[in-house]
Amino acid sequence: MAFVFFYIAIGMKWYARIQKVCFYIGMVGLLSVFLVLLVASNANFVAGFNSYVSSLFGVTSANAYQDIIDAAAKDDYTPLPWGSMPIAASLALIPMVVFFNLWPNWGATLYGEVRGASDYKRNVLGMGGALVVTTILAIIFLALIAKTIGWEFYHAANFTFWAGTSPLPLFPYPGLLVAFITQNPVLQLWILLSLSLWFWGWSGTLFLSSSRVIFAAAFDRVLPEWMATVSPRFRTPTGALIVMTIPSIIVSLLYSYYPGFITLTLASTAVIAITYVGTTVAAIVLPYRKRELFNASPVSRYTIGGIPTITISGVIFLLFLLYNIYMWSVDTVYGLNSPLSAIYMLSLYILAIVLYFGFKGYRRRQGIDINMAYQEIPVE
């Protein structure tokens, strides 16, 4: 929390520099992982894995690798071989892939502070590129895991961990599994630390975007004015950042030390998709509700049969989002159909609505019409 608070508070320029360093070192670390998996054999991994789970975790079995596969098979879980997944059945995994890809695109909320944010093509390339590159790297990684770690073992290790039948007491984090292949402690440390920099570089994203939302709401008088306080030196919204940090510490403590709270957070990722539903609907109706604003934007040049492309793509994407939200809600694998999680998420939305209309009424008594703030989109 302290690190995130610091490197957001020092401003966008330094935040971007730190994030860039973390990103590139993490990429080199991922390349190192790819190379280790490429040159090593399955026999190398099996020997290293059995050795380390014995020395580090006290597992007495001589072949913990096979024990994990056998434990999964005992529960009637045997994954299909790599490359032989039936296409029709695999389509059911689309909601899972979308769930995974929501996070790489979460930074889209920050695009208003990126140079050239008004460039439509740059936005499309930036957001689309993040998704495409992430997906390609994931496919390469899975192929190398299948080659060296073993496709059946990798799935069995994940299955037995959640089932509580694995001799490995830690989640089978791929970086850790790759580190087991080598006996070189320097290389092991490099793999784990370099990959961790992606977390450190990403960690500020949520606070950065959310603090900007709080600042904007306070600036529009929807929240108390002190939340829009800006540091005179770094020109960052320190008031909004404090509002994010303190509750986050409380929530983190509850998540870490009160197991029942974890259930309440199962639907947290779905909130991103629900947010996109709102922005998608806004994009669909924008050409008709705010024609002058729309015509002034570069997107207005793109039409299909006289209909704005943003409206057509918005309708398609909205249907796609609603399908995924439905699947997340009815399929138990996602956990979103937990009544407690749904109640918790809905309670937060209700709280937001109460705050909005409460402050709207409060400002009206002060002679301030909040609606005026949303009549026009600022030039910047």
Side-chain angles (χ1 to χ4, degrees):
M1 293 293 183
F3 173 76
V4 169
F5 186 96
F6 169 75
Y7 90 129
I8 292 177
I10 59 177
M12 278 293 294
K13 181 182 291 186
W14 278 103
Y15 169 85
R17 289 171 176 170
I18 294 172
Q19 192 175 60
K20 185 179 291 185
V21 170
C22 292
F23 172 76
Y24 284 115
I25 295 178
M27 284 298 297
V28 176
L30 182 63
L31 178 61
S32 303
V33 167
F34 283 3
L35 291 174
V36 170
L37 289 172
L38 187 63
V39 300
S41 65
N42 179 253
N44 296 141
F45 173 77
V46 173
F49 179 81
N50 288 334
S51 173
Y52 278 110
V53 296
S54 174
S55 61
L56 293 178
F57 307 120
V59 176
T60 57
S61 173
N63 195 348
Y65 181 93
Q66 187 61 44
D67 289 345
I68 289 176
I69 296 176
D70 293 341
K74 186 177 180 181
D75 290 331
D76 296 324
Y77 178 80
T78 304
L80 293 171
W82 166 261
S84 64
M85 293 180 290
I87 294 178
S90 298
L91 292 178
L93 293 174
I94 287 179
M96 178 67 81
V97 177
V98 173
F99 211 70
F100 160 74
N101 272 330
L102 281 173
W103 287 101
N105 213 38
W106 177 243
T109 54
L110 308 179
Y111 268 53
E113 299 190 46
V114 177
R115 287 183 181 178
S118 60
D119 186 335
Y120 177 65
K121 291 182 179 179
R122 180 174 295 188
N123 273 315
V124 172
L125 291 175
M127 290 185 283
L131 295 175
V132 171
V133 171
T134 302
T135 303
I136 291 174
L137 290 175
I139 292 172
I140 294 173
F141 200 6
L142 288 174
L144 290 172
I145 284 175
K147 167 194 169 295
T148 304
I149 294 178
W151 189 246
E152 183 177 0
F153 168 81
Y154 182 63
H155 280 274
N158 281 273
F159 176 85
T160 54
F161 172 80
W162 293 111
T165 58
S166 175
L168 185 66
L170 299 177
F171 177 76
Y173 169 56
L176 178 65
L177 296 179
V178 174
F180 283 161
I181 295 175
T182 177
Q183 300 292 323
N184 187 326
V186 175
L187 179 56
Q188 291 173 330
L189 194 62
W190 161 254
I191 289 174
L192 295 177
L193 290 182
S194 62
L195 294 182
S196 77
L197 286 180
W198 270 350
F199 166 77
W200 291 105
W202 167 87
S203 60
T205 302
L206 183 60
F207 274 22
L208 185 63
S209 57
S210 302
S211 62
R212 266 47 178 182
V213 171
I214 293 174
F215 168 81
F219 190 80
D220 292 337
R221 304 298 190 271
V222 177
L223 292 175
E225 291 92 329
W226 67 266
M227 294 186 185
T229 303
V230 176
S231 166
R233 180 177 180 182
F234 299 110
R235 293 182 294 177
T236 54
T238 50
L241 191 53
I242 291 173
V243 173
M244 276 299 302
T245 303
I246 295 176
S248 294
I249 294 174
I250 297 172
V251 170
S252 298
L253 288 171
L254 290 172
Y255 188 91
S256 299
Y257 298 106
Y258 181 63
F261 186 78
I262 296 176
T263 304
L264 301 181
T265 67
L266 292 174
S268 57
T269 303
V271 175
I272 303 177
I274 293 172
T275 302
Y276 286 161
V277 168
T279 54
T280 301
V281 171
I284 292 171
V285 302
L286 176 63
Y288 307 99
R289 288 291 305 275
K290 298 288 184 180
R291 187 173 296 277
E292 291 184 3
L293 286 174
F294 174 72
N295 290 335
S297 70
V299 185
S300 62
R301 299 195 301 266
Y302 303 95
T303 61
I304 299 176
I307 302 175
T309 304
I310 191 173
T311 298
I312 296 174
S313 60
V315 170
I316 296 172
F317 185 58
L318 178 62
L319 294 174
F320 180 69
L321 273 178
L322 293 176
Y323 163 74
N324 282 280
I325 292 173
Y326 170 77
M327 291 300 295
W328 296 333
S329 301
V330 300
D331 196 329
T332 56
V333 73
Y334 300 105
L336 267 66
N337 55 355
S338 165
L340 287 176
S341 182
I343 292 171
Y344 177 68
M345 184 178 68
L346 288 174
S347 67
L348 294 179
Y349 277 100
I350 293 172
L351 176 61
I353 292 171
V354 170
L355 282 173
Y356 174 76
F357 284 103
F359 268 96
K360 190 174 182 179
Y362 173 69
R363 297 302 185 190
R364 186 182 298 114
R365 291 192 296 270
Q366 291 182 327
I368 300 173
D369 185 3
I370 289 180
N371 289 333
M372 297 297 294
Y374 302 108
Q375 292 301 313
E376 299 291 338
I377 298 176
V379 175
E380 65 272 14

